[in-house]
Amino acid sequence: MRYRSIQKHYHVMLIPGIALLILFSIIPMFGALIAFQDFKIGLGIWKSPWVGLDNFKYMFELPDSKRIFINTLILATSKIAANLVIPLVFAIMLNELRKQKFKRIIQTIVYLPHFLSWVILAGVISDLLLLDGPVNRLATALGYEPVMFLVSNKWFPSIIISTDVWKEFGFNAIIYLAALAGVNPSLFEAAEMDGATRIQQIWHVTLPSLRPTIVLLATLAIGNVLNAGFDQILNMYSPLVYESGDVIDTYVYRAGILDGQYGLATAVGLLKSAIAFVLIMMSYHLASRFANYRIF
C-alpha cells in the first residue's frame, strides 16, 4: 500500500509536464495542415481551401529551393564536424594541464560565450568586423586590403561556422572531459612505465578511451544535419548574403512571417521535419549499433 501511495505522488507530479507537452507540442502539430491549404488568415484552418500537394510542388519549382537546401547542408555539416573535432582537441589539451587553478580559469573563460544569446554576440561580432573595426585595422596594418566580411558571400559561411564553434566548443568539451575523468589512471601509469611519451599516451590510451563517446556524439549529430542555426544566421545575415547564408529556417521565416505565404512556409518546414525524423531514427539505430546507446 505504501509503495502504491508513493507511485501515486509521482503520477500527480507528471500532470503539469504532460499538460505543457500537450498544449505546446501536440496541439500545435495540427498547424501542419496549412501545408496542404491555400491558407487565409480570415478563413482559418478549417475554412481555407485545400490544395493538396500544390505547395510542395511550388516549393520544388522555386529557383531558391536548391540554394537553401545546399546552404543548409554545407553550414550544418561543417558545424557538426567542427563541433566534434575542436572540443575533442581542446578537452585533451585541457586534460594534460597539471595546474588545477589555471585549468579552472580556462574552463570558465571558454564556457562564458555559451550563455550569451546570438542577439548580443551578433552585435559584438558585427562591430569587430566593420570596415573600420579592429579586425580590418589589424589587416590593414599587416598590408592587407580591408574586407566587408558580413556582406561578402565568400567570407560569410566561414564566419557563421567559426563563430558558432567559438560560442559552443567550451561547453561541448564538458562531455569529453567527463569521459576522460572515467579513464583508469593505471593505464597511463602502465604506458609511462613502458616509456611512452605524452603524445604516445594520448594516441594509445586517451583517444581509444574516448572512442565510444566520439562515435555516440557523431551518430547523434546526424539528426541535426538540417539545423544550420536559425538564431545565429537571422541576427547576422542580410539580403546581400542570401546566396551563401540563406537556410531552410530563415527562408521559412521570410516566406511565412514577412511575405505571408503561410502554406509554402509550412510545406518547407514540414518537409524538413520529415527528413529530420528519418535522420534521427537512422542516428539512433547507428548509436545503438556502434556505441551501445539505447533509450528504449
Side-chain angles (χ1 to χ4, degrees):
M1 291 296 290
R2 185 181 177 186
Y3 176 76
R4 289 182 179 177
S5 175
I6 294 173
Q7 289 293 306
K8 185 178 179 182
H9 284 85
Y10 285 144
H11 293 161
V12 172
M13 290 169 65
L14 285 173
I15 292 175
I18 294 173
L20 291 175
L21 181 70
I22 294 173
L23 185 62
F24 293 107
S25 299
I26 304 300
I27 294 177
M29 289 180 67
F30 290 103
L33 293 173
I34 296 174
F36 306 96
Q37 292 180 321
D38 181 14
F39 181 74
K40 308 291 183 188
I41 293 181
L43 298 176
I45 292 180
W46 304 115
K47 294 184 179 179
S48 294
W50 296 89
V51 295
L53 298 176
D54 285 359
N55 285 323
F56 293 91
K57 294 176 182 175
Y58 181 59
M59 175 182 67
F60 286 110
E61 291 171 355
L62 287 172
D64 296 337
S65 299
K66 184 178 178 181
R67 187 195 68 198
I68 63 171
F69 274 97
I70 291 175
N71 288 344
T72 303
L73 287 174
I74 291 174
L75 291 175
T77 52
S78 300
K79 283 184 178 182
I80 289 172
N83 279 317
L84 282 172
V85 174
I86 294 177
L88 172 64
V89 174
F90 172 73
I92 292 173
M93 292 173 64
L94 198 63
N95 190 58
E96 293 298 314
L97 292 178
R98 292 294 174 261
K99 293 184 177 180
Q100 293 300 318
K101 186 176 180 181
F102 183 56
K103 188 176 177 178
R104 285 196 292 270
I105 291 173
I106 293 179
Q107 280 183 285
T108 304
I109 291 173
V110 297
Y111 289 167
L112 287 178
H114 171 77
F115 299 101
L116 298 176
S117 72
W118 276 115
V119 177
I120 297 172
L121 291 179
V124 174
I125 294 167
S126 298
D127 287 341
L128 290 174
L129 299 179
L130 285 173
L131 195 59
D132 58 348
V135 174
N136 270 319
R137 284 204 296 269
L138 177 62
T140 304
L142 295 174
Y144 295 98
E145 292 292 326
V147 179
M148 298 179 70
F149 290 101
L150 292 180
V151 295
S152 167
N153 283 302
K154 175 184 175 183
W155 285 97
F156 190 75
S158 303
I159 292 169
I160 291 294
I161 296 165
S162 59
T163 52
D164 182 74
V165 172
W166 166 71
K167 183 177 185 292
E168 300 295 344
F169 85 94
F171 195 79
N172 290 340
I174 292 175
I175 298 175
Y176 292 117
L177 289 171
L180 284 169
V183 178
N184 190 345
S186 63
L187 295 175
F188 293 101
E189 293 170 2
E192 192 173 358
M193 290 180 66
D194 288 340
T197 62
R198 299 300 300 178
I199 298 297
Q200 288 172 327
Q201 290 178 36
I202 291 172
W203 186 257
H204 294 289
V205 179
T206 305
L207 285 178
S209 301
L210 289 176
R211 186 166 53 195
T213 305
I214 297 170
V215 172
L216 175 62
L217 294 177
T219 50
L220 292 179
I222 294 174
N224 292 319
V225 76
L226 292 181
N227 291 322
F230 171 75
D231 290 344
Q232 179 194 15
I233 296 176
L234 184 68
N235 284 290
M236 293 179 66
Y237 83 159
S238 66
L240 294 173
V241 289
Y242 280 173
E243 182 182 342
S244 62
D246 202 14
V247 296
I248 294 175
D249 290 334
T250 54
Y251 183 81
V252 168
Y253 169 76
R254 289 207 321 277
I257 303 299
L258 301 183
D259 298 338
Q261 302 182 70
Y262 303 105
L264 174 64
T266 309
V268 176
L270 185 61
L271 180 64
K272 178 199 165 188
S273 300
I275 296 173
F277 176 75
V278 174
L279 293 174
I280 288 172
M281 295 304 293
M282 287 174 56
S283 63
Y284 180 67
H285 175 73
L286 293 173
S288 173
R289 181 173 180 181
F290 294 108
N292 197 27
Y293 173 80
R294 295 189 67 84
I295 298 176
F296 304 107

